[in-house]
Amino acid sequence: MQAICASLLIACGSAHADNVAPSLLGGFILVRDYHPLDIIKIPAPEKLYCTLVHPHIELKTSDSRRVLKPTVPLKDAITQGGNIGGLIAGLMKPDYSLISRSLKDVIAEPIRSVFIPGFEVIRKEATQAGALGCGISGSGPTMFALSVDHETAQQAGEIIQLQFLKHQLKSEVYVSKINYEGARIIA
């Protein structure tokens, strides 16, 4: 499966499994290394919901990568590592408070957020509505929020969509329980 994941997706000139592995395997996936490819499925709470809100703006992955700094300050690397570890521990325990405290990207998101109109207000209002956290999905422009129930996930989507409308941006909202099965053939 790992060889399939690596060979299925090449973006911006390099193979990466961070999108295709969760799509095929389901749930939360850690791509620990690429040489050799080491994919680890992370157990997570069954109650989690994901909200995705995709605004009608074009944002190329290559542009989102280009703005990133080539080096990361040690302080940020330590904070990011702690947040990643906290998120994984929170998913496995399950500990929703730990998940919430750990859903913070201090490396890419502060730089990429300038491409998303209303980003700071969106994140603040989604979490005030009860979402565990909110951020940029991948390189954007889609925003995500994690919640512990469908009602909160739906509210977070409506709030994010409303914020995009304030910037004259239409968007689509998708709310779903986390798919822990991954891709499958339906007869």
Side-chain angles (χ1 to χ4, degrees):
M1 183 60 79
Q2 292 184 355
I4 293 170
C5 289
S7 63
L8 283 178
L9 185 60
I10 295 186
C12 297
S14 62
H16 59 97
D18 60 339
N19 292 320
V20 73
S23 296
L24 290 176
L25 303 174
F28 292 87
I29 302 295
L30 170 67
V31 181
R32 196 201 63 77
D33 200 353
Y34 283 92
H35 304 289
L37 186 61
D38 189 2
I39 298 172
I40 302 159
K41 191 165 184 165
I42 307 297
E46 289 293 324
K47 293 191 330 183
L48 274 183
Y49 281 80
C50 184
T51 303
L52 296 172
V53 183
H54 181 74
H56 292 194
I57 55 176
E58 182 179 350
L59 180 55
K60 295 180 181 178
T61 299
S62 58
D63 292 338
S64 287
R65 284 186 177 182
R66 192 174 5 264
V67 298
L68 295 177
K69 297 174 184 175
T71 60
V72 176
L74 180 60
K75 178 182 179 243
D76 290 346
I78 291 168
T79 300
Q80 191 82 346
N83 285 338
I84 293 167
L87 177 60
I88 291 170
L91 291 168
M92 293 176 74
K93 285 183 80 130
D95 181 335
Y96 297 108
S97 176
L98 181 55
I99 292 168
S100 181
R101 294 190 317 268
S102 302
L103 279 172
K104 292 175 180 64
D105 175 346
V106 298
I107 295 175
E109 203 167 74
I111 298 167
R112 289 177 168 171
S113 64
V114 299
F115 292 129
I116 300 173
F119 172 82
E120 288 299 333
V121 173
I122 287 170
R123 182 166 59 184
K124 179 181 174 190
E125 291 198 4
T127 54
Q128 285 179 342
L132 296 172
C134 178
I136 302 171
S137 179
S139 61
T142 301
M143 297 287 298
F144 80 91
L146 291 181
S147 304
V148 295
D149 59 63
H150 186 268
E151 182 181 333
T152 303
Q154 193 67 43
Q155 275 184 314
E158 291 168 8
I159 285 167
I160 295 168
Q161 190 171 47
L162 180 62
Q163 287 304 316
F164 281 135
L165 277 175
K166 289 181 180 180
H167 293 274
Q168 286 77 47
L169 289 173
K170 292 182 181 180
S171 60
E172 280 84 44
V173 176
Y174 305 94
V175 174
S176 175
K177 279 191 98 168
I178 302 295
N179 173 358
Y180 293 100
E181 294 179 44
R184 62 190 185 280
I185 298 172
I186 299 173

